[in-house]
Amino acid sequence: MAATAENIPKVLAKLQWMREQHIWPNGLRYLWTDAHGVCLLVSLYKELQEEKYLQEAESVVADVYRVLGRPRGLRIGEEPDRDGQYFHYLTKWMYALHQLGKVKPEYHERAVNLAKDVHHAFYVPGVGVRWKMLEDLSGPYPGYGLGGLDFYDGFVTYRLLDPTALSAEIVNMQQLVMKDYKKFSCTQDLGLGECLWMSHFFPDEEWAKTLRQRSEVTLDSMWVPAGEGSGYFCRHPAARSTVFGFTNFGVLYGLQSVGLWPDRVSQLHEFFHTYKSGDAYDTKSITHVMHCNSLFPGVMLE
């Protein structure tokens, strides 16, 4: 973690500002953001050895289960329109619990149990993984199909959690990965960042090499110089003027996980140091928590 430790003062200042503005961790619950936030707090605990960050991580977990927890799985978010369950949000939450579980083992057990609880609701044998389910996991959410990257999420996350306890679930996901990776294609900035991040856990495996190589080529085509040593990745190759902060922050920890383009990492940090979107994302927790993770990836790179 030492390579990004110099950014910790910036991260702590942003955390303090978020608390003062009731953005996070004392704002509305949102599973994706909370997963990244728990990882951030565990990273700070490991780096600074201050118990308060571990306590705060546990407090966030408790509140997430209080607000979003369901008999099976977790709701997407607290706001009324954040109903249902996303598989890729659940796997990110499993990863956060896994990292907290390295310090307190009971959380690792909760991550494994969550994987077992939701797997068969989302998994379509030999076909794919449903992107979004109804909140009680009784069926697919209307209007949503299969996720393009979800079985990669499951394959990686399950193997990190417990290759023995989740062996059957891993086989399910592995079959989908082996069926898909040779024709893999993605043109969305955050998805490409996630692919880089997933590839770094098993870098010598052919599927991971393919995801990294193709993601690198596509991302390279999406780089937009912004002058004065800064730049960003556009949302899609055909939308070069469309830029989102939180998606670029996801690309940032993907780049750092594989050691790619350190010059662009610096230019991205420079661009988003003062960037304002002028919309609701300027005060959304997803923007600022992921910004912190991009500055100090910590356990996101473990």
Side-chain angles (χ1 to χ4, degrees):
M1 296 185 196
T4 52
E6 64 189 36
N7 289 327
I8 287 179
K10 298 177 185 176
V11 170
L12 296 180
K14 186 173 278 285
L15 266 176
Q16 181 61 32
W17 174 80
M18 284 193 284
R19 291 188 187 99
E20 291 170 355
Q21 300 298 316
H22 296 278
I23 292 173
W24 195 88
N26 51 356
L28 294 174
R29 299 269 65 96
Y30 189 61
L31 191 61
W32 175 268
T33 303
D34 289 326
H36 284 83
V38 169
C39 288
L40 175 66
L41 292 169
V42 174
S43 298
L44 290 170
Y45 167 72
K46 287 188 171 184
E47 182 70 26
L48 301 176
Q49 290 296 297
E50 293 184 23
E51 194 72 20
K52 65 181 180 180
Y53 297 112
L54 181 60
Q55 293 172 352
E56 191 164 32
E58 291 192 273
S59 176
V60 171
V61 170
D63 201 49
V64 165
Y65 276 103
R66 180 185 67 82
V67 177
L68 304 181
R70 298 297 180 264
R72 294 170 64 205
L74 296 106
R75 177 184 164 98
I76 291 168
E78 185 173 354
E79 293 181 294
D81 63 344
R82 301 301 187 182
D83 59 322
Q85 298 194 38
Y86 282 138
F87 184 75
H88 64 293
Y89 280 31
L90 293 167
T91 55
K92 197 66 75 180
W93 185 247
M94 292 172 207
Y95 184 82
L97 292 177
H98 169 61
Q99 292 299 337
L100 185 55
K102 292 180 180 180
V103 183
K104 294 207 165 185
E106 62 266 28
Y107 292 100
H108 176 263
E109 183 178 353
R110 293 175 78 169
V112 174
N113 289 340
L114 175 59
K116 286 188 167 295
D117 283 345
V118 305
H119 175 80
H120 287 290
F122 285 91
Y123 172 65
V124 183
V127 178
V129 173
R130 295 186 178 98
W131 187 26
K132 186 177 183 180
M133 294 288 291
L134 295 171
E135 201 158 308
D136 62 359
L137 299 184
S138 61
Y141 199 97
Y144 289 78
L146 300 175
L149 300 175
D150 294 59
F151 44 88
Y152 292 100
D153 283 321
F155 185 48
V156 170
T157 305
Y158 294 172
R159 292 170 73 187
L160 295 174
L161 292 181
D162 194 326
T164 302
L166 296 171
S167 59
E169 291 83 359
I170 290 168
V171 169
N172 292 159
M173 296 299 187
Q174 182 178 30
Q175 290 172 343
L176 296 174
V177 168
M178 294 303 113
K179 177 181 174 182
D180 179 82
Y181 84 89
K182 291 182 180 178
K183 60 179 185 290
F184 165 80
S185 177
C186 178
T187 54
Q188 185 227 55
D189 54 352
L190 182 56
L192 292 163
E194 285 287 302
C195 287
L196 290 178
W197 180 70
M198 288 188 289
S199 76
H200 99 274
F201 292 105
F202 306 100
D204 296 326
E205 297 182 6
E206 288 304 314
W207 69 268
K209 291 178 182 178
T210 299
L211 260 63
R212 173 175 173 169
Q213 290 165 356
R214 295 185 185 175
S215 297
E216 181 177 341
V217 169
T218 305
L219 276 172
D220 190 40
S221 74
M222 294 164 63
W223 176 251
V224 180
E228 298 184 5
S230 72
Y232 62 86
F233 289 100
C234 61
R235 182 64 166 158
H236 182 277
R240 293 187 65 79
S241 62
T242 302
V243 54
F244 288 102
F246 77 92
T247 60
N248 270 266
F249 301 144
V251 174
L252 267 166
Y253 69 70
L255 295 178
Q256 292 174 88
S257 72
V258 297
L260 182 62
W261 300 329
D263 55 335
R264 287 182 176 173
V265 169
S266 297
Q267 291 176 57
L268 276 163
H269 284 313
E270 180 63 27
F271 181 82
F272 286 103
H273 179 64
T274 57
Y275 175 79
K276 300 289 184 183
S277 60
D279 57 23
Y281 279 110
D282 282 341
T283 55
K284 288 280 189 181
S285 60
I286 191 172
T287 300
H288 299 287
V289 172
M290 291 190 71
H291 191 189
C292 288
N293 269 326
S294 75
L295 289 166
F296 182 55
V299 301
M300 294 300 295
L301 307 188
E302 292 184 3

